[in-house]
Amino acid sequence: MNERVVKVLFVHGWASSAAIWSRCAEQLEQMLQPVTLDCDVVDRGYFGDRCKEFPRGHFDLAVGHSTGLSWLISQQHASFDKLVSICGFTRFCSGEGFAAGWSPGIVERMCRQLAKSPNSVVGNFWQKASTTRPGHAHPPRPLEKPNAARLQEDLQALPSIDCRQQWTSLAGAQLVIAGTADQIITAEHSQLCFGNQRMEWIQTDSHWIPWTFPETCAALLREMIEVS
């Protein structure tokens, strides 16, 4: 008898790392038994020397956290049957016809500050992204030195991200998981990006939902995997 294997691709967001997925992936592996989970986790190389680019091949499910969603939609290396966004977006900055999102001026200021003090910019972002609610865990910030060049490259690209049309043209099942009080991608921002798409709301101010709510995320991912 051939063993069933489910291939899942995880992609983290800006100023994060592959470690954001560790708790969620562990829970998902347990929930899927006896099915085997084959994970591939991209690391954008924001900390230290580690970096793992997009793999080539086909996946049963792709999961993008924050900016990871837009990278998943726009990359050409990997294909997938189903797609899940966790605290993700299809457009990052506000502008004409898009009232929500970050001001381009804020991103420009972060870019200038990043060139001078990457530790400070990353630290401020992590503080804003982390929960303040008792009992809600947030991931430890990576200890390695920030890779300022990689961070700057992807930060500068944020104002130009607009993959709303690509999202709507994707085939296959889609799911959006978002936080009701996320300070990075607000509820208003999420709703404007995804419109009538199915959305699962988690009552939290954490942007690190895959780490803060690993069981909830894993259960929703398992549901997506099992949908025919």
Side-chain angles (χ1 to χ4, degrees):
M1 181 181 296
N2 293 329
E3 181 182 76
R4 185 189 172 195
V5 177
V6 172
K7 296 186 67 176
V8 179
L9 175 61
F10 291 104
V11 186
H12 67 79
W14 189 80
S16 183
S17 74
I20 190 73
W21 299 112
S22 60
R23 301 177 79 190
C24 176
E26 181 180 0
Q27 290 289 329
L28 182 59
E29 183 176 29
Q30 294 175 7
M31 291 179 182
L32 286 176
Q33 292 180 354
V35 174
T36 298
L37 176 64
D38 181 8
C39 287
D40 213 323
V41 186
V42 171
D43 196 306
R44 297 289 289 183
Y46 294 140
F47 298 95
D49 298 324
R50 63 186 180 207
C51 181
K52 183 178 181 182
E53 299 291 358
F54 274 95
R56 296 183 181 276
H58 186 76
F59 294 83
D60 299 293
L61 177 68
V63 189
H65 173 250
S66 194
T67 324
L69 176 72
S70 58
W71 290 326
L72 266 171
I73 295 173
S74 59
Q75 57 80 37
Q76 303 295 320
H77 303 296
S79 59
F80 42 83
D81 292 328
K82 303 168 186 177
L83 179 61
V84 174
S85 166
I86 305 181
C87 304
F89 53 86
T90 54
R91 175 168 172 165
F92 188 71
C93 283
S94 58
E96 185 177 354
F98 195 82
W102 285 47
S103 163
I106 293 178
V107 178
E108 291 172 6
R109 185 165 66 249
M110 288 176 66
C111 287
R112 292 194 299 270
Q113 294 171 342
L114 186 65
K116 301 175 182 177
S117 180
N119 268 314
S120 176
V121 173
V122 171
N124 289 338
F125 180 82
W126 270 72
Q127 183 176 16
K128 185 178 180 68
S130 299
T131 181
T132 58
R133 298 183 180 181
H136 287 193
H138 58 82
R141 178 181 160 185
L143 297 177
E144 299 95 329
K145 180 181 178 181
N147 185 325
R150 291 299 297 262
L151 286 162
Q152 186 75 266
E153 179 184 359
D154 288 346
L155 183 61
Q156 288 176 339
L158 285 176
S160 64
I161 289 178
D162 188 347
C163 47
R164 289 174 291 174
Q165 186 173 358
Q166 292 165 284
W167 168 268
T168 56
S169 65
L170 285 171
Q174 300 166 357
L175 171 65
V176 176
I177 303 171
T180 55
D182 186 344
Q183 297 300 298
I184 303 298
I185 306 299
T186 64
E188 179 188 11
H189 192 170
S190 294
Q191 289 172 325
L192 196 57
C193 282
F194 300 109
N196 297 323
Q197 180 65 46
R198 177 194 167 192
M199 299 185 71
E200 293 286 342
W201 293 99
I202 296 179
Q203 301 292 323
T204 184
D205 60 344
S206 175
H207 186 60
W208 311 122
I209 282 179
W211 179 279
T212 310
F213 295 92
E215 292 185 8
T216 302
C217 289
L220 289 168
L221 297 185
R222 179 187 61 182
E223 179 184 325
M224 284 291 287
I225 290 168
E226 293 175 347
V227 169
S228 58

